[in-house]
Amino acid sequence: MDLTALAKEHGTPLYVYSAEQIRYRLELFEGAFSGRAHTICYAVKANSSLAILKLLADAGAGFDIVSGGELERVRRASKAALKRVVFSGVGKQVWEIDAALKAGILLFNVESEAELSLLAERAKLAGVKARFALRVNPDVFAETHPYISTGLRDHKFGIAIGEARRIYRAAKKMGSLDAAGVSVHIGSQIRQVEPFGAALGRVLGLVKELREDGHSIRYVDAGGGLGIDYGMDASAVFDPAGQVERYAAALLAVMGDEGAHLLLEPGRFLVAQAGALVSRILFVKKNGTKTFVVTDAGMNDLIRPALYQAHHEIVPVKQPSGASEAVDIVGPVCESGDFFARDRVMPKVKVGDLVAVLDAGAYGMSLASNYNTRGRPAEVLVDGDRCDVIRRRETVKDMLALERMPG
Ligand SMILES: *Cc1c(COP(=O)(O)O)cnc(C)c1O
C-alpha cells in the first residue's frame, strides 16, 4: 500500500495497520500451542479498535478485558466471542462485574479477597455461578521497564501466591463461586522466555495443591507480556516465529502432562508490529547545536517514548538520497517530554516529507489523548488490496461536545 497516497487521502498523523500481519501473529500463537487445549485471549488494551477486535474474533480469538468499556467493545465486535472473555484488573466496579456476569464471560481473574467477596455477592444476586481464577503474584522478576513489570511482591497486582490456598478454601463456602482456574501475568515487553516458565511453574504447584483440596481447576491462565523487538539492538535478528516457539516451549515444558485448558493473553505481540504512525514534517529548526525535526504527530498520539523511554524506529516514507544527520524528532505538544527520538541518526529529511514511526500498533492509539486539545489520529486497516478507515479523525467539535459552561 502506498503510504504517500494514504497520507494524502486521509491526512496525518495517521495510524496504518496491516490485517495480514495481525492474522499471521495470531496463527503463530495458535500453531505453537496446537498440541493442547488452549484459547488465545487477546489483551484488548493493546489496541482496542473494533475492526481489529472483529478481525481477531473472526479468526477464533478470545479476549482479555480490563473494563466494562472493553467488554462492550468485544460485544460490538462479536457476540460469539463473549464466552471467550477473561476479565482482569485490580479495580473492577459493580456495574462492570454485573455486565460481565450477564454476558456469560469465561473467567474473572480476581485480584483481591475484597473483589472475590463482591463477585460472590453479585453472582448470588444474579442467580448465577461466577467462574473465577485468582491472579496470583509469583514473585518472579522479569527484565522490563518498571512501569510495565507486574509480577513482584510489591506490585499492586494479584494476590501473594502463599495466600491463595486459604482464599480458595474460603471461596468454596460461597455457593455462587466456581473456582475454575488460576491466573498469572508478570508484566509486559518481556523478551526473555524463562520468567514465563518460572511463573507458570509456581502456578502449577498451586494447581496441584488446590486439586488436593478438592477444587476442580480446569483453566490455567499464563497471562500475556511476550515482548517484541523495537529495533534498539541493530545486531539482533528478531524472528517472531522463533520467539513464539521459544515462548511456547518454555511454557509447555513446565506444563508437562498437566491437562488443564491453557489461556494466553498476548497483546503487544499480536498488534505492535502490524502498525505504523505516519506523520508529516512541519518544520526543521536548529537550536544551538541541535537539529529538531517537528512532526505533526505528538506525545498525545503516541506516548510510549515519553512514558516508557521507549525506542521506535522512524523511517522516511520516501527514502531520500542525501546524507544522514543526527536529529531530535519531536512533536508539537508543549512538553519537553514530547519527543519520538533524540540524537537519532537518520537520512536528511525536509519540511513536507512523511515519516513512519514503526511498531506503533500496540499501546499507541489505545493510549492516545486529547492533550493540548489535539484530535486523535484517524486509523486505517489495510487488508490485501483493501484499505478501510476504521476510525475517522477526531475533530475540534468532537472534542468540545461533552463540555458545558455554567450560567
Ligand atoms: C496488559 C496485559 C496483558 C497484555 O500484555 P502484553 O504485554 O501486551 O502482551 C495481558 N494480561 C493482563 C492481565 C494485562 O494487564
Side-chain angles (χ1 to χ4, degrees):
M1 195 60 67
D2 179 354
L3 287 182
T4 305
L6 286 187
K8 204 166 175 190
E9 186 178 349
H10 304 291
T12 53
L14 180 70
Y15 274 106
V16 182
Y17 308 115
S18 158
E20 271 174 36
Q21 182 63 211
I22 297 170
R23 279 191 211 101
Y24 169 66
R25 292 298 176 103
L26 180 65
E27 277 162 24
L28 288 181
F29 256 84
E30 293 288 3
F33 291 95
S34 61
R36 75 170 55 227
H38 72 275
T39 304
I40 312 289
C41 296
Y42 165 69
V44 171
K45 74 177 189 287
N47 185 320
S48 38
S49 154
L50 287 175
I52 288 174
L53 300 185
K54 176 162 193 316
L55 180 166
L56 286 163
D58 289 350
F63 297 95
D64 170 44
I65 61 165
V66 292
S67 72
E70 288 190 351
L71 178 70
E72 190 54 29
R73 284 185 175 276
V74 172
R75 184 200 312 282
R76 298 271 177 101
S78 163
K79 282 203 179 59
L82 286 171
K83 61 179 187 299
R84 301 191 296 268
V85 164
V86 300
F87 191 175
S88 305
V90 292
K92 299 181 190 77
Q93 299 180 36
V94 169
W95 74 269
E96 296 176 310
I97 291 173
D98 287 353
L101 284 170
K102 195 161 175 224
I105 66 162
L106 178 63
L107 196 64
F108 287 83
N109 284 338
V110 171
E111 305 217 14
S112 64
E113 285 188 80
E115 183 194 329
L116 191 63
S117 307
L118 179 62
L119 177 62
E121 181 190 311
R122 301 313 299 180
K124 193 173 172 196
L125 264 174
V128 295
K129 258 193 174 205
R131 279 177 298 274
F132 79 92
L134 286 194
R135 172 170 172 183
V136 295
N137 193 326
D139 203 21
V140 164
F141 176 74
E143 184 75 51
T144 186
H145 190 277
Y147 287 5
I148 50 178
S149 171
T150 62
L152 285 177
R153 200 175 49 214
D154 293 342
H155 291 145
K156 72 175 176 181
F157 299 98
I159 290 171
I161 195 162
E163 300 284 315
R165 202 171 178 180
R166 173 183 62 76
I167 299 170
Y168 276 94
R169 210 172 277 148
K172 216 173 183 181
K173 301 198 185 89
M174 304 182 213
S176 53
L177 294 178
D178 169 11
V182 180
S183 92
V184 73
H185 172 72
I186 55 173
S188 195
Q189 183 51 12
I190 298 166
R191 301 276 310 274
Q192 257 69 47
V193 300
E194 293 76 15
F196 295 110
L200 187 61
R202 291 187 190 180
V203 164
L204 291 172
L206 173 64
V207 168
K208 190 161 165 281
E209 291 175 350
L210 293 176
R211 292 216 178 109
E212 284 164 13
D213 292 347
H215 303 284
S216 119
I217 303 292
R218 290 100 68 202
Y219 297 97
V220 169
D221 184 341
L226 184 61
I228 64 143
D229 179 13
Y230 282 98
M232 270 268 273
D233 176 6
S235 65
V237 183
F238 187 75
D239 141 43
Q243 176 77 339
V244 177
E245 264 167 42
R246 281 188 294 279
Y247 173 72
L251 294 187
L252 296 179
V254 292
M255 283 291 277
D257 55 8
E258 163 57 58
H261 188 109
L262 186 59
L263 300 172
L264 300 150
E265 304 171 349
R268 183 191 316 270
F269 193 87
L270 299 189
V271 293
Q273 291 175 305
L277 177 60
V278 179
S279 172
R280 202 174 285 283
I281 295 171
L282 297 176
F283 302 104
V284 178
K285 62 183 272 187
K286 281 201 196 305
N287 271 2
T289 58
K290 283 182 98 74
T291 301
F292 292 92
V293 172
V294 184
T295 60
D296 64 4
M299 65 188 286
N300 70 296
D301 305 304
L302 176 65
I303 202 174
R304 297 193 66 261
L307 189 58
Y308 310 121
Q309 290 85 47
H311 176 99
H312 282 268
E313 284 295 308
I314 301 172
V315 294
V317 166
K318 280 208 175 103
Q319 218 43 254
S321 46
S324 290
E325 63 177 338
V327 296
D328 279 20
I329 301 162
V330 302
V333 172
C334 301
E335 297 274 344
S336 291
D338 180 27
F339 61 85
F340 292 123
R342 282 188 161 150
D343 297 319
R344 181 73 61 86
V345 177
M346 65 180 280
K348 241 183 179 141
V349 287
K350 58 181 191 311
V351 171
D353 285 356
L354 292 169
V355 291
V357 183
L358 303 184
D359 307 327
Y363 305 106
M365 187 61 173
S366 62
L367 271 163
S369 76
N370 292 130
Y371 187 40
N372 279 204
T373 310
R374 287 166 47 83
R376 283 172 289 179
E379 296 174 287
V380 297
L381 180 66
V382 175
D383 196 354
D385 51 17
R386 265 192 88 122
C387 179
D388 294 289
V389 176
I390 57 173
R391 183 182 157 112
R392 71 161 167 80
R393 186 173 304 285
E394 217 167 12
T395 63
V396 174
K397 198 173 163 197
D398 291 330
M399 286 187 278
L400 301 186
L402 303 182
E403 298 189 29
R404 297 290 178 268
M405 288 181 284

